[in-house]
Amino acid sequence: MSLTEKQLSAEELILSRHSVRKYEPGVTIPDAELNEILELAASAPSSWNLQHWRFLVIREQANKEKLLPIAYNQQQVVDASVVVVVLGDLEANLVAPKVYENATEQIREMMLGQINGAYQNNPGLGRDEAFLNASLAAMQLMLAARVKGYDTVPMGGYSKEALIKEFNIPARYVPIMLLPIGKAQAPGRATDRLPLQEQVIHERF
Ligand SMILES: Cc1cc2nc3c(=O)[nH]c(=O)nc-3n(C[C@H](O)[C@H](O)[C@H](O)COP(=O)(O)O)c2cc1C
């Protein structure tokens, strides 16, 4: 049942997300609805509010088919309505002037100094920040899709090099994951989780 038919609680919504690998082919997500999903995803938090994610939205069938060999023939990239390539910005510090353009000069100078200092003095920080923050947006995108009655599957099984080459992704952006979105043709398989006591450490190791 889609969420438009039945209003789920936040808890039910979170638990209703499963990785779906079989999609009804030929389903179009209307532009307005897709934009709402992406807007919701983009409301994710990020370090210094630098919004390190970029969404490469692939909807044309011919382009989804190009993804098939890149994603080692995982059929969901062809049958899903949309494949969002979640990218991380390795140079998100360059966005800071825009993010802080309406701040007072004093705040802006302080923030830009802090951000550029961090990026310039820590090799590897740009990459860590890109993965960390873009992953938050990706998770939010999966839940936003559920809100609209669609399913998703996060995918790390693809050739980054081939993806970058085929879709001409600039060096500034690192692929984080593929996120097919569509109408489930078959439900995702049930998955278990480790017992909570194996996942939670109280106070200190
Ligand atoms: C970073 C990441 C990469 C993944 N890569 C793939 C993938 O390439 N293909 C696939 O079918 N599922 C992939 N998955 C889905 C996982 O198998 C799935 O999330 C996990 O088994 C838990 O199931 P659930 O998502 O239904 O709760 C990936 C998940 C994550 C978070």
Side-chain angles (χ1 to χ4, degrees):
M1 182 179 284
S2 95
L3 306 191
T4 45
E5 294 162 56
K6 178 179 181 284
Q7 204 62 45
L8 297 187
S9 70
E11 187 175 334
E12 287 169 328
L13 180 102
I14 289 169
L15 293 174
S16 77
R17 187 214 55 80
H18 300 287
S19 290
V20 164
R21 298 175 179 88
K22 288 206 182 307
Y23 291 91
E24 279 178 32
V27 174
T28 301
I29 302 181
D31 290 357
E33 200 170 34
L34 183 60
N35 279 340
E36 282 169 21
I37 292 171
L38 295 170
E39 290 264 16
L40 285 170
S43 73
S46 59
S47 317
W48 292 297
N49 197 21
L50 293 179
Q51 302 155 59
H52 310 61
W53 48 80
R54 294 292 176 276
F55 305 124
L56 169 60
V57 177
I58 298 180
R59 303 173 85 180
E60 286 180 20
Q61 202 57 28
N63 285 332
K64 288 191 279 170
E65 266 153 33
K66 284 184 185 151
L67 276 175
L68 189 62
I70 294 171
Y72 309 127
N73 295 316
Q74 298 188 73
Q75 186 64 26
Q76 61 260 28
V77 297
V78 173
D79 293 338
S81 307
V82 180
V83 179
V84 177
V85 182
V86 180
L87 302 168
D89 185 358
L90 295 167
E91 297 173 41
N93 55 313
L94 300 182
V95 176
K98 175 139 204 205
V99 169
Y100 291 97
E101 71 185 348
N102 294 323
T104 63
E105 198 180 331
Q106 196 192 3
I107 299 272
R108 186 169 54 249
E109 292 308 309
M110 185 185 78
M111 296 308 291
L112 264 55
Q114 207 183 89
I115 292 164
N116 286 326
Y119 271 77
Q120 279 152 22
N121 297 326
N122 296 294
L125 179 106
R127 191 173 168 84
D128 288 349
E129 289 285 298
F131 274 87
L132 174 62
N133 292 288
S135 295
L136 295 175
M139 183 69 248
Q140 205 148 298
L141 204 160
M142 289 185 257
L143 293 178
R146 286 301 299 135
V147 171
K148 303 289 181 190
Y150 297 103
D151 283 284
T152 57
V153 52
M155 291 177 61
Y158 62 94
S159 161
K160 282 192 179 172
E161 298 69 34
L163 179 81
I164 288 167
K165 195 161 175 244
E166 181 65 55
F167 292 91
N168 205 21
I169 297 171
R172 177 169 166 179
Y173 302 108
V174 59
I176 307 292
M177 68 183 78
L178 303 183
L179 259 184
I181 310 174
K183 283 278 176 205
Q185 191 172 63
R189 50 176 181 263
T191 53
D192 285 330
R193 294 297 184 267
L194 298 169
L196 202 58
Q197 65 264 29
E198 288 179 30
Q199 301 185 42
V200 179
I201 296 92
H202 290 284
E203 312 301 342
R204 56 175 291 159
F205 276 94

